Amino acid sequence: MTDRIALRAATPDEIPALLALWARAARGTSITDDEAGVAALLARDPECLIVATPAGDPATVLGTVIAGWDGWRCHLYRLAVDPGHRRRGIGAALLAAAEERFAALGGRRADAMVLDDNALGHRTWQAAGYHPEPRWSRWVKPLPA
Ligand SMILES: CC(C)(COP(=O)(O)OP(=O)(O)OC[C@H]1O[C@@H](n2cnc3c(N)ncnc32)[C@H](O)[C@@H]1OP(=O)(O)O)[C@@H](O)C(=O)NCCC(=O)NCCS
């Protein structure tokens, strides 16, 4: 099935469509899920937001992943596939593309934040070779606007 999809970097003009896809397809919401947040991401790293489209229809986004590289670590965010197009290998193809990008940049390990109750996400990450590290917790502090 994945021969029928294409992968490319997202462009700033499609930010509203990506936010709409995440609203219906992603699990949970992020503090940066708004136009300014995604625009800042693409301005800093124009290649990091990878989208999957039908091979003959590059304007229709079926899935996304953010492959963030900060020069130190490789972080994956916003892995999401349109509910009508799941179990076709799109999520796996997005993760493979993200890992290819990390390898090209010199990354040594990829990680993702995964909700403890996201069983569907767990199956997908495990199928791609990821495993949890239960001894770590996420510590956060919102920053002033
Ligand atoms: C998680 C998600 C991105 C997977 O996308 P997808 O395109 O359906 O995944 P794939 O078809 O590439 O599946 C890859 C493998 O993951 C596992 N998997 C994915 N969905 C599964 C399901 N519903 N049940 C069992 N295994 C599943 C399988 O091992 C699958 O390989 P297989 O189809 O050969 O058995 C998609 O379900 C999604 O958008 N979920 C909501 C958002 C989300 O939870 N994202 C992860 C946040 S951490």
Side-chain angles (χ1 to χ4, degrees):
M1 276 298 193
T2 48
D3 57 339
R4 297 187 201 159
I5 67 158
L7 301 168
R8 62 171 174 78
T11 54
D13 57 298
E14 58 193 348
I15 290 173
L18 296 175
L19 291 169
L21 173 65
W22 292 344
R24 68 175 188 277
R27 182 66 205 278
T29 52
S30 159
I31 196 169
T32 39
D33 274 4
D34 55 33
E35 292 220 23
V38 184
L41 175 74
L42 296 184
R44 186 184 185 283
D45 186 349
E47 303 293 321
C48 73
L49 206 172
I50 302 168
V51 300
T53 73
D57 180 9
T60 299
V61 176
L62 302 178
T64 67
V65 70
I66 296 171
W69 163 250
D70 59 14
W72 181 243
R73 295 280 163 80
C74 307
H75 302 296
L76 293 156
Y77 311 95
R78 282 296 177 249
L79 174 65
V81 171
D82 192 300
H85 295 271
R86 290 183 183 165
R87 291 312 289 275
R88 295 176 50 201
I90 296 174
L94 285 161
L95 287 179
E99 290 168 14
E100 203 174 302
R101 168 175 158 80
F102 291 146
L105 291 167
R108 301 181 190 182
R109 183 184 61 203
D111 65 43
M113 287 185 304
V114 184
L115 287 165
D116 287 341
D117 67 354
N118 185 0
L120 175 56
H122 295 181
R123 286 193 286 267
T124 304
W125 291 108
Q126 278 167 351
Y130 292 73
H131 61 85
E133 283 199 322
R135 70 186 188 280
W136 296 97
S137 299
R138 184 182 182 209
W139 289 41
V140 301
K141 175 184 176 181
L143 299 174

